[in-house]
Amino acid sequence: MSWISLVMVGALVSDWPRPLIIAHRGASGHRPEHTIEAYRLAVSQGADLIEPDLVMTKDGVLIARHENEIGGTTDVAEKYPNRKTTKTIDGDSVTGWFAEDFTLAEVKTLRARERLPYRSHYWDGRFEIPTFDEILEFVRQEEARLGRRIGLYPETKHPSYHESLGLRITDAVIDALHREGYRRRTDPVFIQSFEVGNLQRARGRTELSLIQLVDATGRPADATARGDARGYRELMTPAGLSFVASYANGIGPARALVQPVSPNGELLAPSTLVRDAHAAGLVVHVWTVRADREFLPAGYKGDPLAEYRRLAELGVDGIFTDFPDQAVRALRTATR
Ligand code: G3P
Ligand code: CA
């Protein structure tokens, strides 16, 4: 075993500095989200983990997109105008172009675009849509080049919907990770989902860390099918957290569940969620810190670094961010 391999084996994710810096959709504040180039920039900026959101193609291949509607982040409307359609996804009517209607070969003809109008569109039309296997290969190459581990934080998007089409997204993610050699709880991988049932089933198939995502409102899309009336708020009570701990290793809450803000963006008294989750044996990874003025609460007075520091003071174990460079400056540099 080489010296680099020995160092990498020794650097288990449990030994990494806290809070972990999780590159949300890559360095998506600087490059179109979910492209290899966005992930590459995140790694070069010092992110601990990269976050691929995953959906599936018609021929059953995992690709990185935030949602199965791909019209908002690619040039599919120009290349396949006749494929536009309307579907019901998790109870919502959605019109657009859908990953599950395209083969991988067709997806590979597309190019990524920036989603948000107020971010740079300089890179639009240049980058491919990556498969999960390509992302795993990218991570393997970057780890060898840099001599450090790079964590993966894949999210199964719309698992019940995919499975209703015969696309077994959660099994596909687990199988891909196991094939790549990620098998232990201490490996630098967290599998995340907004649904509960697929994480419960995943618990029976893998030792890898599982994260229950929770939003500030609403309830898991599979709640009705499971006969469970609880919403995300109920899952965040001590009793709810005890339930989550029966199948998951942590929670991924919207940041307002940890640091509430007023309608004017003023910082309110913090919640007890971090303490309660830790008491249940769960880590806490909050989403999503973004520097854009559309997202930064007014209470931070225009200083995006202040939000990372506030969340760190509150004891979170990881922070999703579109701007890993700012997270590194706020959390990993000695001077403030
Ligand atoms: O997965 C954490 C965070 O990314 C959840 O929100 O909608 O950006 O996937 P979303
Ligand atoms: Ca996500």
Side-chain angles (χ1 to χ4, degrees):
M1 186 176 285
S2 72
W3 179 83
I4 284 179
S5 299
L6 278 170
V7 169
M8 287 167 56
V9 166
L12 300 175
V13 72
S14 54
D15 301 330
W16 292 3
R18 291 290 191 274
L20 295 169
I21 297 172
I22 306 156
H24 182 246
R25 315 182 196 177
S28 58
H30 302 286
R31 295 289 184 277
E33 66 188 45
H34 293 313
T35 57
I36 291 293
E37 289 74 12
Y39 301 134
R40 189 187 311 283
L41 182 60
V43 169
S44 76
Q45 290 178 339
D48 299 309
L49 305 100
I50 58 171
E51 190 227 10
D53 292 319
L54 297 170
V55 299
M56 291 186 94
T57 63
K58 186 177 186 175
D59 42 351
V61 180
L62 291 165
I63 60 169
R65 289 292 90 193
H66 176 259
E67 55 271 307
N68 56 329
E69 199 292 301
I70 56 177
T73 59
T74 72
D75 56 3
V76 67
E78 288 88 79
K79 288 178 172 158
Y80 297 91
N82 299 330
R83 301 277 192 96
K84 188 176 187 182
T85 188
T86 298
K87 302 189 181 202
T88 300
I89 315 290
D90 297 342
D92 297 323
S93 179
V94 183
T95 297
W97 290 258
F98 296 88
E100 66 271 18
D101 294 338
F102 291 80
T103 64
L104 178 64
E106 290 170 334
V107 167
K108 283 296 184 184
T109 68
L110 306 178
R111 292 296 177 267
R113 282 186 179 163
E114 170 56 48
R115 171 194 301 274
L116 299 172
Y118 45 81
R119 286 186 178 167
S120 171
H121 285 253
Y122 175 79
W123 304 97
D124 286 4
R126 303 187 190 206
F127 305 141
E128 281 188 17
I129 312 309
T131 66
F132 190 38
D133 282 344
E134 288 167 348
I135 296 167
L136 292 169
E137 169 70 16
F138 161 75
V139 166
R140 194 184 324 132
Q141 289 178 358
E142 286 291 276
E143 285 185 333
R145 187 176 71 83
L146 298 171
R148 73 169 175 100
R149 297 234 67 174
I150 298 161
L152 279 153
Y153 212 121
E155 179 179 349
T156 54
K157 284 292 184 186
H158 309 296
S160 291
Y161 173 77
H162 276 101
E163 288 181 20
S164 76
L165 303 176
L167 296 168
R168 300 174 61 190
I169 188 168
T170 310
D171 287 348
V173 171
I174 293 170
D175 290 344
L177 290 164
H178 285 184
R179 271 198 308 274
E180 193 68 16
Y182 298 102
R183 291 182 171 273
R184 298 174 302 165
R185 189 183 61 77
T186 49
D187 285 337
V189 169
F190 298 89
I191 299 173
Q192 45 168 339
S193 178
F194 278 108
E195 293 190 16
V196 170
N198 76 315
L199 290 179
Q200 289 177 312
R201 291 188 292 280
R203 183 74 298 154
R205 290 209 54 214
T206 187
E207 292 178 16
L208 291 170
S209 293
L210 305 177
I211 299 293
Q212 179 66 62
L213 296 173
V214 282
D215 209 339
T217 58
R219 57 192 200 131
D222 64 332
T224 303
R226 286 183 296 106
D228 188 337
R230 286 176 293 188
Y232 290 123
R233 286 273 173 186
E234 287 74 40
L235 288 181
M236 295 301 96
T237 63
L241 291 164
S242 173
F243 164 69
V244 171
S246 70
Y247 60 88
N249 304 90
I251 57 169
R255 68 208 206 286
L257 289 169
V258 170
Q259 174 55 72
V261 296
S262 73
N264 295 332
E266 295 152 355
L267 306 187
L268 303 175
S271 76
T272 61
L273 182 57
V274 173
R275 188 184 69 206
D276 296 344
H278 286 169
L282 296 163
V283 297
V284 180
H285 297 160
V286 288
W287 48 271
T288 299
V289 177
R290 297 163 160 128
D292 319 86
R293 73 169 168 241
E294 289 78 1
F295 290 107
L296 182 67
Y300 294 111
K301 304 186 189 320
D303 177 8
L305 306 197
E307 185 167 16
Y308 301 98
R309 292 171 182 147
R310 176 65 176 154
L311 292 167
E313 284 165 6
L314 295 177
V316 304
D317 304 286
I319 300 175
F320 287 85
T321 175
D322 289 8
F323 298 89
D325 50 337
Q326 296 184 348
V328 168
R329 275 167 53 208
L331 302 171
R332 304 280 166 86
T333 51
T335 54
R336 293 194 171 188

